[in-house]
């Protein structure tokens, strides 16, 4: 559950530290005091979209952190799967947003992303705001409530994998329906390109090797001159002995000396080895001189080959590896085009099989939904009766539609609020207050399957007053017996049920607005309830009424 919320430099809140408890936490205060800002701060730390506009005027950055304790096994498992740990069973999420739009997020002091906060937040808090009532006006969203109660997550995921694969095959099949002339044109082009590359007989490393050989041939005279000087140095000429002759003489002399001085045997061997190495070098130089003079037309052949490779590299890839890869891909594409009829037939068979599998999966999901719909209908009617709408009749109209991301069902809630009236679409019947109570009834029913520990209701009392507000307060109190509930309200009847009543107030100092949040004791609660009931001029009658509300809520 959420135990602490720290807010800094968000809108009119400069610094604020709020402690929450188990049970029902109620936030009240004057209009504009900052109740919605607290919800905005919670949304921000849960990774929801937040703009730089929430940063307090004059501040460089806004910061919010939320502390959660008594984490459920599901939350702990989620954290572990993401590489985080809850130290001593405590989780702290934080987010800083600066004026440059940069976010700095942390999970228990470890760096995180906004997406990570959002992913974790979905396991911690469920926020119901005023705009959520509009979901009831949109029939396309009604199916979401049924799926939530049916715990359809895994089955829907399995179905959607089939559905996505079906759509991919359909798109591939549609793409294959190309104009025959275009297909033949592409076959001709690929055939030419394949033949051109294959005729060139490209080998990896060829271009670099030919470039080196061309450089050698272009500098043949310089190379020959230097090689000749090296040969003379090794072999000598008519005027002087070369290194080979002198090394041979030295080796023979040391060999003779070693007969009388054993210590020179190793030296003699080394001179012999050096002689052999120099002789091998001399032969290599002779071979190199012969090779460079071998074929006077070789340079022209190399130029022609390099020109061909250059043109191929320009057309098919920067390097022999890329050219050969292009060749392989072109062969595969040509095969696919030539096997067009066969491939299309296989795709069609795959499409038909996927459709059967997806439809059967959707049919199974639909049957589960139909079973859940009856339980949902009766449960919501029972909850709405408790909320002083005893004559409500709820029907769930089902229509089978074409396969889509949610299966084959289209569901719509029809409602009758008065005896003798036929159920009609919610958008044509329900008033604001009725929508609020209906949504609370639905949330109450869905809470049975909801794994989230904390529920937040932001001004759920829209259009509600009097005894209906009293029933809403009782219902929120009942919900808070099993999980933590936070509620922003303008109704004294609802606030009276609070286990922890937080008062949000604002003040102006030096032409700046400041908001603070304070927990109320018993007397503070009486004063706040009296203010809500009677306005700024608190009378004895309002105070007595406030005490009566508190006494009634505690019974």
């Amino acid at each position: 559950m959420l135990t602490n919320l720290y807010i800094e430099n968000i809108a009119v809140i400069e610094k604020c530290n709020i402690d929450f408890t188990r049970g029902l936490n109620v936030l009240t205060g004057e209009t504009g005091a900052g109740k919605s800002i607290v919800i905005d701060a919670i949304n921000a730390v849960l990774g929801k979209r937040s703009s730089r506009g929430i940063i307090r005027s004059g501040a460089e950055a806004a910061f919010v952190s939320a502390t959660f304790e008594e984490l459920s096994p599901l939350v702990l498992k989620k954290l572990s799967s993401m590489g985080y740990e809850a130290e001593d069973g405590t989780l702290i999420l934080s987010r800083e947003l600066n004026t440059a739009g940069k976010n700095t997020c942390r999970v228990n002091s470890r760096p995180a992303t906004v997406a990570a906060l959002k992913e974790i937040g979905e396991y911690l808090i469920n926020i119901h705001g005023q705009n959520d009532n509009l979901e009831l006006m949109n029939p396309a969203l009604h199916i979401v409530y049924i799926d939530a109660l049916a715990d359809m997550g895994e089955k829907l995921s399995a179905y959607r994998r089939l559905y996505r694969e079906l759509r991919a095959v359909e798109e591939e099949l549609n793409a294959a329906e190309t104009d025959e002339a275009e297909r033949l044109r592409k076959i001709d082009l690929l055939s030419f390109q394949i033949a051109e590359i294959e005729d060139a007989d490209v080998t990896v490393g060829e271009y670099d090797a030919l470039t080196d050989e061309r450089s050698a041939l272009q500098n043949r005279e310089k190379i020959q001159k230097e090689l000749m000087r090296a040969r003379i140095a090794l072999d000598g000429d008519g005027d002087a002995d070369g290194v080979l002759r002198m090394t041979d003489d030295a080796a023979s002399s040391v060999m003779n000396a070693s007969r009388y001085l054993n210590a020179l045997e190793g030296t003699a061997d080394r001179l012999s080895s050096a002689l052999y190495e120099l002789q091998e070098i001399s032969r290599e130089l002779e071979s190199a001189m012969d090779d460079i003079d071998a074929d006077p037309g070789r340079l022209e052949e190399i130029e022609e080959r390099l020109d061909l490779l250059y043109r191929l590299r320009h057309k098919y890839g920067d390097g022999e590896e890329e050219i050969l890869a292009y060749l392989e891909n072109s062969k595969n594409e040509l095969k696919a085009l030539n096997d067009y009829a066969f491939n299309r037939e296989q795709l069609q068979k795959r499409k038909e099989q996927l459709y059967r599998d997806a439809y059967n999966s959707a049919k199974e999901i639909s049957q589960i939904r139909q079973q859940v719909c009856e339980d949902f209908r009766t449960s919501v009617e029972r909850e709405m009766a408790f909320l002083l709408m005893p004559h409500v009749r709820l029907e769930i109209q089902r229509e089978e539609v074409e396969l889509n991301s949610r299966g084959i069902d289209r569901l719509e809630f029809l409602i009758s609020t008065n005896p003798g009236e036929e159920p009609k679409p919610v958008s044509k019947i329900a008033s604001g207050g009725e929508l609020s109570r209906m949504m609370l009834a639905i949330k109450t029913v869905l809470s049975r399957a909801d794994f989230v520990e904390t529920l937040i209701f932001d001004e759920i009392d829209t259009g509600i007053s009097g005894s209906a507000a009293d029933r809403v307060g009782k219902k929120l109190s009942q919900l808070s017996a099993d999980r933590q509930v936070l509620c922003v309200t303008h109704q004294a009847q609802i606030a009276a049920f609070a286990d922890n009543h937080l008062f949000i107030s604002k003040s102006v100092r030096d032409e700046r607005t400041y908001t603070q949040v304070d927990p109320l004791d018993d007397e503070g609660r009486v004063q706040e309830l009296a203010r809500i009931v009677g306005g700024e001029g608190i009378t004895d009658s309002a105070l007595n009424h406030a005490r009566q509300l508190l006494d009634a809520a505690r019974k």
Side-chain angles (χ1 to χ4, degrees), residues 459-471:
E459 299 191 10
I460 197 169
D461 52 18
T462 301
I464 299 173
S465 61
S467 56
D470 179 71
R471 288 301 180 95

Side-chain angles (χ1 to χ4, degrees), residues 270-290:
R270 288 161 58 198
L271 276 170
S272 296
S273 297
L275 176 61
Y276 298 146
E277 182 68 20
L278 289 170
Q279 290 172 339
E280 181 63 27
I281 291 172
S282 178
R283 286 190 290 271
E284 290 177 2
L285 294 178
E286 183 180 5
S287 177
M289 292 180 68
D290 292 341

Side-chain angles (χ1 to χ4, degrees), residues 280-409:
E280 181 63 27
I281 291 172
S282 178
R283 286 190 290 271
E284 290 177 2
L285 294 178
E286 183 180 5
S287 177
M289 292 180 68
D290 292 341
D291 290 343
I292 208 167
D293 284 330
D295 186 357
R298 176 60 179 161
L299 182 59
E300 184 177 350
E301 292 177 2
I302 291 174
E303 292 288 4
E304 291 177 356
R305 183 65 177 174
L306 285 174
D307 182 63
L308 173 62
L309 291 175
Y310 176 81
R311 285 187 282 108
L312 292 177
R313 287 161 65 115
H314 183 71
K315 292 167 68 175
Y316 304 121
D318 188 17
E320 293 92 326
E321 294 92 341
E322 292 187 21
I323 293 172
L324 294 173
Y326 187 95
L327 173 63
E328 187 64 26
N329 292 335
S330 296
K331 286 181 176 179
N332 293 334
E333 189 175 354
L334 180 60
K335 185 178 186 305
L337 288 170
N338 286 326
D339 294 343
Y340 169 76
F342 175 77
N343 290 338
R344 186 181 183 283
E345 182 180 351
Q346 295 303 306
L347 280 174
Q348 186 64 38
K349 289 180 179 179
R350 179 62 178 154
K351 172 189 170 183
E352 292 169 0
Q353 182 61 53
L354 282 170
Y355 183 87
R356 286 193 294 270
D357 292 344
Y359 183 82
N360 290 336
S361 177
K363 194 71 175 178
E364 180 183 357
I365 290 172
S366 178
Q367 290 169 353
I368 296 173
R369 283 174 178 151
Q370 290 176 57
Q371 295 169 3
V372 171
C373 278
E374 182 59 23
D375 180 43
F376 179 85
R377 184 189 66 79
T378 57
S379 297
V380 171
E381 284 184 351
R382 183 168 56 250
E383 295 296 339
M384 293 185 75
F386 178 83
L387 296 172
L388 298 185
M389 295 180 69
H391 302 297
V392 161
R393 283 173 55 206
L394 176 64
E395 290 186 6
I396 303 176
Q397 187 179 74
R398 176 188 173 275
E399 177 187 358
E400 183 167 328
V401 295
E402 290 293 325
L403 282 179
N404 57 70
S405 61
R406 284 202 166 269
I408 56 173
D409 295 312

